[in-house]
Amino acid sequence: MHIGIDLGGTKIEVLLLDAHGTEQFRQRLPTPQGQYAATLHTIKTLVDAAERVAGGQCSVGVGMPGAISPATGLMKNANSVVLNGKPLHADLSHLLQRAIRMENDANCFALSEATDGAAAGASVVFGVIIGTGTGAGIVVNGQVLGGANAIGGEWGHNPLPWPEMHELPGAACYCGKHGCIETWLSGTGFAAHYRLLHGESVTAAPLVERATHGDERAETALQAYEERMAKSLAHVINILDPNVIVLGGGMSNITRLYQNVPARWGKYVFSDYVTTRLLPPRYGDSSGVRGAAWLGANHPGKNGC
Ligand SMILES: [Zn+2]
């Protein structure tokens, strides 16, 4: 069996999966705020609890925000800033006394959906989490493609492709640039742009509701969003040419995207036809921790208990 840990900013969750992907145990504890050692020990507590259910030692995979720098082995880019600069992988391997695998949470999402989720059976999968930010991961033939700099799939801080004049330079992004894909496609970015145009603070879900009832402003805003998502994903298709793109995060609940975005991306893809499918997630918010567990299933020499 395989243990997955989802290390989040507010909670740490453990999941025990059997070889068929059936959940055997799940528990969550609050993340000790700003305390590195206590965070490590909370993870150990959860692993111990799962192994009591499993009846033996299991593989452990961890999904976390940010990434481990291949150059230094230290954490970087995590929004739980206490983790940044720490040798989390080495410390956790030592504490749990085994080899573990760690991946960015968007990579875990992509792995979960590629293994037994919406994209099961597809050889090249691009998984995108669009919520307050835009994270993404790539899975090829069942393996996460981490990349030389551990940023494989992170296209959210590329600029919006094929921009209209009125979209330039675009909103300032926390990364220091303007007009990043994240500033257009994230839920927060979408709401901020609507507020800029119409002076009203409203999130995507009520706008979808309004558009359904014929509200012209809401419909225009959603169509513009769909066009921007089509451009942004066409960029990915031109480089990676995935079989399936799976959406996760809050914006993945907008069902019209799965029809309207593929209907728009053809004119930007350098091909006379596009077979790439855009799909909603099978496991939704559970995909992060499920993907973490599957990390261990793919670990050479560590096939679970
Ligand atoms: Zn940016």
Side-chain angles (χ1 to χ4, degrees):
M1 288 199 257
H2 308 291
I3 291 174
I5 294 283
D6 183 17
L7 173 53
T10 57
K11 54 96 189 160
I12 303 173
E13 183 167 27
V14 69
L15 175 71
L16 179 67
L17 279 188
D18 67 19
H20 307 291
T22 306
E23 297 189 11
Q24 301 295 332
F25 175 74
R26 184 191 279 263
Q27 189 184 346
R28 54 171 60 177
L29 290 171
T31 306
Q33 295 301 305
Q35 300 171 63
Y36 180 66
T39 298
L40 293 178
H41 284 283
T42 301
I43 293 171
K44 183 166 186 337
T45 300
L46 291 169
V47 168
D48 289 347
E51 288 188 334
R52 278 195 294 277
V53 174
Q57 195 177 82
C58 302
S59 66
V60 175
V62 180
M64 78 286 180
I68 293 169
S69 167
T72 63
L74 305 178
M75 282 286 295
K76 63 176 182 179
N77 301 347
N79 53 5
S80 299
V81 290
V82 68
L83 300 177
N84 288 328
K86 300 287 200 308
L88 182 60
H89 187 261
D91 286 346
L92 210 48
S93 301
H94 180 72
L95 188 64
L96 298 175
Q97 297 192 307
R98 76 195 76 177
I100 61 168
R101 280 195 65 190
M102 302 185 71
E103 280 290 349
N104 171 270
D105 43 20
N107 291 354
C108 290
F109 168 79
L111 181 61
S112 165
E113 294 297 333
T115 301
D116 65 346
S123 54
V124 181
V125 178
F126 190 67
V128 194
I129 300 179
I130 305 188
T132 53
T134 51
I138 299 167
V139 173
V140 178
N141 296 329
Q143 299 287 327
V144 171
L145 190 70
N149 307 291
I151 55 165
E154 293 301 344
W155 100 137
H157 297 278
N158 288 357
L160 179 73
W162 301 284
E164 304 282 340
M165 286 308 290
H166 67 87
E167 292 169 327
L168 294 171
C173 182
Y174 72 87
C175 75
K177 299 187 173 63
H178 280 78
C180 292
I181 286 171
E182 177 164 309
T183 68
W184 292 107
L185 295 191
S186 66
T188 37
F190 176 67
H193 188 63
Y194 191 86
R195 190 168 60 242
L196 191 70
L197 287 180
H198 302 298
E200 184 190 3
S201 291
V202 57
T203 57
L207 280 181
V208 172
E209 186 67 23
R210 286 186 203 176
T212 310
H213 293 98
D215 182 301
E216 209 167 301
R217 275 185 182 176
E219 180 60 35
T220 303
L222 281 167
Q223 286 191 18
Y225 182 86
E226 287 160 0
E227 186 73 9
R228 289 170 188 139
M229 182 179 279
K231 288 174 175 176
S232 302
L233 293 178
H235 231 199
V236 173
I237 295 171
N238 281 340
I239 296 168
L240 184 65
D241 203 4
N243 303 86
V244 176
I245 297 172
V246 189
L247 297 184
M251 300 299 272
S252 72
N253 295 319
I254 305 175
T255 51
R256 56 184 273 172
L257 297 179
Y258 301 100
Q259 286 246 300
N260 295 356
V261 171
R264 291 173 180 273
W265 69 25
K267 57 186 178 288
Y268 302 109
V269 175
F270 188 61
S271 171
D272 56 346
Y273 63 92
V274 186
T275 60
T276 303
R277 292 177 293 151
L278 181 67
L279 298 175
R282 176 172 178 192
Y283 292 111
D285 292 342
S286 277
S287 251
V289 74
R290 287 184 68 91
W294 287 130
L295 284 173
N298 292 337
H299 196 276
K302 276 282 167 187
N303 289 321
C305 51

